[in-house]
């Protein structure tokens, strides 16, 4: 049905059966490298059989089995809004949402970026959660499953594994609305070191976002420190993959006949970029670069992108003003951005996608004017340089409201009120309306509001998530209105400097060691 190659089918008999569920569509999920990695990790284990589920594949892709046929239901969750889909999947399969109502059968777990950033909104739904990098999970689950003879014994064995979080063993203590402290155990985030087994596409299909790419992870973590970002925080330290370790993956990519989709927060910072590009070139692979770090686009990379006929790149100036950009941790000026645009267009780039945000702490109306002005300058430069090319391309501008995320430097910041966010976005849209070759898109600020509510939620948020999952998605505002709690308390509010945050009971040891004194 899905027209794919690379799916793994194993006899489920005598094995630990894991349902790997991506709580979104097949189209979205199959471009998620984390899903490919966990599918490979689980199925590489001789005692595990792992099959995939999506919102539009309620039975397993591999064998059409039901969720209830599996010992463990493992949700891979990258985005907070997908927690609602996770609960909807449980409801649709008549699986009790709350852990206490399931009594160990089936076992429901979650991992992935959203789970690592803050698992608390769904903590009462999960038997366990995996925080951080999931590669050790296959061995840990198989060992605990086959060495124990029941649910309790299984969890007890798992509890010793770094990254495993058992919500029933950690209890937030509330005082009124606020959390006064935590009782019980304190998990840590799993970090894979050495990082020498990079993620890559396992199953190839044309029915996904990155359908023309073979995805390959060339580094994990990020050397920069943008204040709004969690990528740096939860996946530190920055670990480029040794080129020799990438060679077998490059060979597979070459055999796939697809472009090589390089996955990294910072391609420009791979310490052996020259050698890596040579090896890619030697295999005749074309590349699809990730978002490029502004101010650091080298001649060498430009030349390779030209040879690969890359015709679109993504850049993230984030804001229009240099001062605000520096304040959020990106020390690159508008002039440097324009220089990069010139270099990119000269090396054959036809279309440029720009990411911007509104609602950053300290943002003023002037910053919105600066954003409009920067896009106009980029467009003007882009068109001038493009005249030498056969076709003048597009500048696509994507605007999002900044959602303060747990573990980022802005984790305590207020969310810009949706009405004000809408005004600022509307001003940008109007300001750029008459600009030819510029296309503006944005995410509705109300989605940022829901995202913020969930992202910084505590265990009391599960009730409203369950109600949202049980109702038509268009009814979310009514559901929020009927919730006895105040959603603004979670979504909008700036947190007090001494307030104990719902996710503050677990930590990332290495990050805490190295965060002071660094800058983006
Ligand atoms: S460069 Fe900044 S935004 Fe990008 S991953 Fe690194 S810290 Fe995050």
């Amino acid at each position: 049905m899905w027209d794919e190659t690379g799916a793994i089918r194993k006899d489920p008999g005598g094995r630990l059966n894991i349902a790997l569920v991506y709580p979104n569509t097949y189209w979205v999920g199959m471009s998620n490298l984390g899903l490919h990695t966990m599918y490979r990790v689980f199925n590489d284990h001789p005692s595990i059989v792992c099959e995939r589920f999506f919102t539009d594949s309620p039975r397993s892709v591999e064998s059409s089995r039901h969720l209830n046929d599996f010992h463990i239901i493992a949700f891979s969750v990258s985005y907070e809004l997908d927690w609602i889909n996770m609960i909807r999947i449980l409801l649709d399969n008549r699986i009790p949402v709350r852990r206490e109502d399931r009594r160990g059968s089936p076992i429901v777990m979650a991992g992935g970026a959203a789970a690592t950033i803050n698992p608390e909104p769904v903590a009462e739904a999960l038997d366990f959660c995996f925080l951080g990098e999931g590669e050790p999970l296959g061995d840990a689950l198989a060992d605990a499953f086959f060495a124990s003879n029941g649910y309790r014994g299984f969890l007890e064995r798992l509890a010793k594994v770094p990254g495993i979080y058992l919500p029933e063993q950690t209890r937030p203590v509330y005082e009124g609305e606020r959390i006064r402290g935590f009782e019980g155990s304190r998990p840590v985030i799993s970090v894979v070191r050495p990082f020498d087994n990079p993620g890559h596409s396992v199953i190839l299909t044309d029915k996904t976002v990155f359908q023309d790419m073979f995805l390959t992870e060339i580094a994990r973590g990020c050397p920069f420190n943008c204040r709004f970002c969690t990528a740096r925080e939860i996946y530190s330290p920055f670990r480029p993959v040794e080129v020799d370790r990438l060679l077998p993956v490059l060979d597979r990519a070459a055999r796939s006949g697809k472009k090589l989709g390089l996955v990294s927060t910072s391609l420009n910072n791979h310490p052996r970029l020259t050698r890596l590009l040579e090896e890619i070139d030697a295999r005749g692979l074309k590349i699809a670069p990730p978002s490029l770090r502004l101010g650091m686009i080298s001649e060498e990379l430009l030349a390779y992108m030209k040879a690969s006929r890359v015709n679109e790149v993504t850049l993230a100036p984030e804001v229009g003003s240099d001062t605000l950009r520096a304040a959020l941790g990106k020390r690159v000026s508008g002039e440097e951005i324009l220089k990069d645009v010139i270099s990119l267009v000269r090396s054959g780039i036809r279309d440029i996608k720009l990411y911007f945000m509104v609602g950053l702490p300290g943002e003023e109306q002037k910053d919105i004017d600066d954003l409009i002005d920067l896009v106009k300058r980029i467009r003007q430069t882009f068109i001038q340089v493009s005249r030498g090319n056969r076709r003048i391309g597009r500048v696509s501008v994507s605007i999002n409201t900044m959602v303060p995320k747990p573990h980022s430097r802005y984790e305590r910041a207020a969310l810009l009120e949706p009405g004000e966010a809408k005004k600022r976005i509307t001003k940008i849209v109007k300001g750029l309306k008459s600009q030819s070759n510029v296309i503006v898109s944005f995410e509705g600020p109300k989605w940022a509001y829901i995202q913020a509510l969930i992202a910084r939620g505590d265990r009391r948020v599960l009730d409203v998530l369950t109600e949202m999952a049980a109702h038509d998605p268009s009814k979310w505002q009514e559901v929020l209105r009927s919730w006895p709690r105040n959603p603004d308390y979670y979504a909008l509010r700036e947190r007090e400097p001494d307030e104990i945050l719902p996710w503050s009971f677990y930590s990332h040891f290495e990050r805490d060691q190295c965060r002071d004194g660094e800058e983006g």
Side-chain angles (χ1 to χ4, degrees):
M1 176 189 176
W2 296 107
D3 195 15
E4 57 180 30
T5 55
I8 301 164
R9 291 183 173 81
K10 292 162 89 171
D11 181 353
R15 292 192 163 104
L16 168 60
N17 284 225
I18 299 178
L20 180 60
V21 189
Y22 194 88
N24 209 308
T25 59
Y26 181 93
W27 175 265
V28 175
M30 286 305 292
S31 281
N32 183 282
L33 197 52
L35 185 83
H36 285 257
T37 300
M38 292 317 299
Y39 184 72
R40 173 173 57 85
V41 163
F42 287 146
N43 277 315
D44 274 355
H45 198 290
S47 300
I48 295 178
V49 54
C50 170
E51 301 185 4
R52 290 160 298 149
F53 292 75
F54 302 89
T55 49
D56 48 358
S57 180
R59 293 205 189 183
S60 82
V61 174
E62 283 74 10
S63 68
S64 290
R65 285 196 288 158
H66 287 280
L67 264 187
N68 278 301
D69 295 336
F70 290 76
H71 300 111
I72 296 177
I73 302 173
F75 285 94
S76 174
V77 187
S78 302
Y79 308 105
E80 292 85 0
L81 292 171
D82 283 347
W83 289 130
I84 301 171
N85 289 339
M86 178 188 94
I87 295 168
R88 190 172 292 125
I89 289 169
L90 293 176
L91 293 172
D92 288 349
N93 284 276
R94 300 185 198 290
I95 296 170
V97 172
R98 288 188 172 267
R99 176 180 64 249
E100 62 190 5
D101 297 329
R102 286 194 304 271
R103 299 202 205 125
S105 180
I107 296 171
V108 177
M109 69 148 294
T116 304
I117 290 169
N118 181 17
E120 288 308 275
V122 290
E124 301 288 6
L126 302 174
D127 294 277
F128 66 95
C129 188
F130 196 80
L131 307 174
E133 299 169 3
E135 281 88 345
L137 194 55
D139 286 344
L141 290 181
D143 291 351
F145 184 80
F146 290 106
S148 56
N149 56 5
Y151 176 67
R152 286 281 142 219
F154 172 67
L155 290 189
E156 270 166 33
R157 284 176 185 274
L158 269 189
K160 302 182 186 104
V161 177
I164 290 286
Y165 163 45
L166 303 178
E168 67 173 8
Q169 291 190 4
T170 305
R171 287 169 301 283
V173 181
Y174 297 102
E175 191 172 81
E177 288 294 314
R178 301 282 168 93
I179 294 173
R180 181 160 53 81
F182 298 94
E183 290 174 349
S185 53
R186 297 188 174 235
V188 293
I189 292 178
S190 154
V191 182
V192 174
R193 294 192 88 169
F195 177 54
D196 52 15
N197 196 357
H200 57 80
S201 294
V202 177
I203 297 163
L204 299 177
T205 175
D206 288 341
K207 292 190 165 55
T208 190
V209 185
F210 301 133
Q211 53 189 252
D212 57 344
M213 295 182 205
F214 184 99
L215 300 175
T216 304
E217 190 177 24
I218 59 163
R220 196 171 281 181
C222 182
F224 302 105
N225 205 0
C226 306
R227 288 177 172 264
F228 58 87
C229 180
T230 54
R232 147 68 188 237
E233 298 289 319
I234 59 174
Y235 294 118
S236 64
F238 179 59
R239 285 152 291 160
V241 185
E242 294 278 341
V243 176
D244 285 343
R245 293 279 180 180
L246 282 166
L247 298 182
V249 184
L250 297 185
D251 290 338
R252 289 183 70 160
R255 286 196 296 274
S256 76
K258 303 213 176 216
K259 275 192 290 192
L260 183 68
L262 298 169
V263 179
S264 167
T265 54
S266 181
L267 172 62
N268 333 40
N269 281 81
H270 196 290
R272 300 278 176 275
L273 185 61
T274 306
R275 160 117 200 271
L276 176 59
L277 293 176
E278 283 167 4
E279 294 290 352
I280 293 170
D281 192 38
R283 287 160 179 79
L285 281 159
K286 304 267 182 263
I287 61 166
S291 170
L292 299 175
R293 175 82 186 182
L294 284 158
M296 296 186 65
I297 303 172
S298 65
E299 288 299 322
E300 179 186 29
L301 183 58
L302 287 169
Y304 201 83
M305 289 199 301
K306 188 170 188 178
S308 280
R309 295 204 187 89
V310 174
N311 49 28
E312 183 185 44
V313 292
T314 302
L315 307 171
E318 316 292 3
V319 291
S321 119
D322 291 356
T323 316
L324 190 58
R325 195 175 307 111
L328 60 84
K330 283 201 165 177
R331 295 182 193 283
V332 57
S333 68
E335 289 308 315
E336 288 170 292
I337 293 171
L338 293 178
K339 271 191 205 158
D340 280 343
V341 169
I342 292 171
S343 308
L344 286 164
V345 177
R346 284 200 177 132
S347 64
I349 297 299
R350 200 184 54 208
D351 301 317
I352 292 183
K353 189 164 190 183
L354 302 170
Y355 279 112
F356 287 98
M357 288 186 286
V358 297
L360 289 145
E363 181 180 278
E364 296 171 358
Q365 290 301 331
K366 184 185 171 308
D367 294 307
I368 303 301
D369 297 332
D370 286 346
L371 192 160
I372 296 167
D373 185 54
L374 179 63
V375 175
K376 285 183 178 173
R377 287 163 66 209
I378 290 175
R379 174 200 165 265
Q380 197 178 17
T381 306
F382 174 82
I383 288 189
Q384 270 169 6
V385 187
S386 295
R387 287 214 172 96
N389 297 347
R390 264 179 295 169
R391 203 196 119 199
I392 297 178
R394 254 188 343 228
V395 177
S396 305
V397 177
S398 168
I399 309 163
N400 286 297
T401 308
M402 196 279 294
V403 175
K405 292 285 181 85
H407 305 286
S408 75
R409 301 280 182 102
Y410 288 157
E411 65 182 358
R412 292 177 188 270
L415 175 76
L416 184 64
E417 195 273 319
E420 178 58 29
K422 196 172 173 193
K423 273 191 209 158
R424 294 185 194 183
I425 292 171
T426 305
K427 185 173 183 184
I428 296 167
V429 172
K430 282 191 181 155
L432 295 173
K433 201 174 169 188
S434 60
Q435 303 292 304
S436 60
N437 301 75
V438 174
I439 294 171
V440 184
S441 62
F442 58 90
E443 188 187 62
K446 285 180 180 166
W447 287 114
Y449 180 91
I450 299 277
Q451 209 187 332
L453 186 159
I454 302 172
R456 294 195 290 181
D458 57 31
R459 294 188 181 189
R460 297 170 292 192
V461 164
L462 182 61
D463 285 340
V464 77
L465 295 184
T466 307
E467 284 303 309
M468 284 186 190
H471 286 80
D472 187 281
S474 64
K475 300 269 190 293
W476 65 268
Q477 281 168 307
E478 288 163 42
V479 171
L480 272 191
R481 272 196 292 273
S482 62
W483 191 33
R485 299 193 168 278
N486 177 7
D488 289 353
Y489 175 82
Y490 291 99
L492 293 181
R493 190 173 58 91
E494 181 176 357
R495 275 47 170 179
E496 304 285 340
D498 60 348
E499 184 174 338
I500 295 175
L501 301 169
W503 52 90
S504 59
F505 63 91
Y506 62 97
S507 62
H508 188 307
F509 176 76
E510 293 190 46
R511 179 203 67 196
D512 294 343
Q513 294 289 300
C514 68
R515 73 185 292 172
D516 290 335
E518 293 186 350
E519 61 178 34

